[in-house]
Amino acid sequence: MVAISSILCLKGDELGKVIISISYQSRLNQGLFLPNFTRLPLVARTFYLRLHERFIDSFKLPPQRRGYELEKIFTDLMKISNIPVEESFKIEGEQIDGAIKYDSYYYIVELKWTANKVNQAQISSLYMKVEGKMQSLGLFISMNGYSQEALESLTRGKPMQIILLDGTHLMSVISGIRTFKELLEHARKEASLKGNIYCSHDIS
């Protein structure tokens, strides 16, 4: 049976349209994420190919090591995408997985690669980290998506300060289907114009 994940588009305090999409693991199994870097400059293709190989190899790692490897892969992806990136760091009372700077804004990054979908408490933790920073935004990447309960309650009474991405979004970049800048612009557009902080995959 093909695994599916529900992509929930949130508009303000309302739960919007539900879009059903094949999970990124199933896409990998079906060969839909075979690397294709023809859109990229020649100088970047080797780096993307190595990154893709590292990601596939990371499936063999124990869960905790796989999470650490995801942080390293994300950092290297930002570097070859020419996006300023800060590696993971700690401040008093907080562990920050990393941060990026895009279009004059800093995004506090949270990366999760767990067997379960990310819940409301985990997303709320990122909200708290963002609210304590000057004009910062949040970028949450959960490889296995988000629980329905978390998505239904996420924006109630909260400003729209974070963007949610999942494994399918990230793999579209690692495989060369789109660049990370294109993905982030797509996510920001849906958040700004439609109020959807969990953007569609929009992958042909």
Side-chain angles (χ1 to χ4, degrees), residues 7-42:
I7 307 305
L8 307 179
C9 296
L10 304 179
K11 179 175 290 186
D13 292 337
E14 300 177 357
L15 177 65
K17 182 179 179 182
V18 175
I19 303 174
I20 302 301
S21 177
I22 301 172
S23 70
Y24 81 98
Q25 297 101 322
S26 296
R27 289 175 182 269
L28 280 171
N29 294 338
Q30 295 176 43
L32 299 181
F33 276 136
L34 292 176
N36 181 5
F37 306 127
T38 55
R39 295 178 63 245
L40 302 173
L42 283 172

Side-chain angles (χ1 to χ4, degrees), residues 126-160:
L126 179 58
Y127 261 109
M128 293 179 63
K129 293 176 183 179
V130 170
E131 289 176 349
K133 314 293 184 300
M134 184 176 67
Q135 295 183 330
S136 290
L137 299 172
L139 179 63
F140 206 122
I141 302 178
S142 169
M143 295 302 295
N144 285 321
Y146 305 88
S147 71
Q148 182 173 343
E149 174 256 349
L151 294 171
E152 287 176 345
S153 61
L154 183 59
T155 59
R156 293 174 186 168
K158 300 183 180 71
M160 295 182 64

Side-chain angles (χ1 to χ4, degrees), residues 24-25 55 63-71 74 95-98 108-126 129 139-147 164-168 170:
Y24 81 98
Q25 297 101 322
F55 179 79
Q64 188 173 24
R65 285 185 58 195
R66 189 172 58 201
Y68 289 142
E69 180 64 9
L70 178 62
E71 291 183 15
F74 180 79
Q95 170 66 45
I96 307 295
D97 288 347
I108 304 298
V109 177
E110 189 84 14
L111 298 164
K112 293 291 182 185
W113 196 348
T114 56
N116 298 324
K117 296 179 183 295
V118 161
N119 59 37
Q120 180 184 0
Q122 291 168 304
I123 299 175
S124 296
S125 175
L126 179 58
K129 293 176 183 179
L139 179 63
F140 206 122
I141 302 178
S142 169
M143 295 302 295
N144 285 321
Y146 305 88
S147 71
L164 305 181
L165 300 176
D166 59 27
T168 299
L170 189 60

Side-chain angles (χ1 to χ4, degrees), residues 4 24 49 56-57 80 101 118 147 158 163 169 171-172:
I4 60 174
Y24 81 98
L49 181 58
I56 299 302
D57 288 343
I80 63 177
K101 184 180 182 182
V118 161
S147 71
K158 300 183 180 71
I163 288 173
H169 292 118
M171 278 305 299
S172 72

Side-chain angles (χ1 to χ4, degrees), residues 176-204:
I177 296 173
R178 58 169 60 166
T179 67
F180 192 83
K181 289 182 179 180
E182 290 170 341
L183 173 60
L184 196 52
E185 285 294 340
H186 169 65
R188 283 161 41 119
K189 180 179 179 180
E190 288 209 3
S192 297
L193 300 184
K194 301 178 183 179
N196 301 335
I197 63 175
Y198 192 5
C199 68
S200 64
H201 290 146
D202 193 26
I203 298 173
S204 59

